[in-house]
Amino acid sequence: MLSHHDRTELEKIERSLELSDPDLAAALRDGRRPKSAALRNTLLIFFDITAVTLLVLGLVLPDPGVTLCGILALTGTVWTHVARHRL
């Protein structure tokens, strides 16, 4: 059992966390893990590099299918980056 002082201190910490980082506070309250930004950024960079590689290969090789795939992949990655920054 916590003392009155300990409970009030924990409530202060909880309020401070709610104000500073509501996503983390909700994740802790619900018992789920917060989303990893590092993993998401790594995957986006991987897809960016893949899209640019496809586009360059499509321009170097005489294959319009690879060029089209590169253009579509690059369009998708640009759309993803724009959508991320709007949130």
Side-chain angles (χ1 to χ4, degrees):
M1 191 77 181
L2 296 175
S3 68
H4 176 69
H5 175 70
D6 290 341
R7 278 183 289 180
T8 56
E9 289 300 313
L10 284 175
E11 288 172 2
K12 287 180 188 176
I13 293 170
E14 182 181 359
R15 280 192 300 270
S16 172
L17 184 61
E18 275 287 336
L19 293 175
S20 65
D21 195 355
D23 292 335
L24 178 61
L28 291 173
R29 186 176 37 254
D30 298 339
R32 59 182 166 81
R33 295 173 55 182
K35 297 176 183 174
S36 172
L39 177 62
R40 187 177 22 207
N41 288 339
T42 304
L43 284 173
L44 280 176
I45 290 171
F46 172 74
F47 286 125
D48 291 342
I49 292 170
T50 304
V52 169
T53 304
L54 276 173
L55 184 61
V56 169
L57 279 175
L59 293 173
V60 170
L61 299 174
D63 190 1
V66 177
T67 307
L68 180 62
C69 287
I71 291 171
L72 292 175
L74 200 57
T75 303
T77 57
V78 168
W79 180 82
T80 304
H81 284 285
V82 169
R84 275 186 61 212
H85 290 291
R86 285 189 180 176
L87 296 177

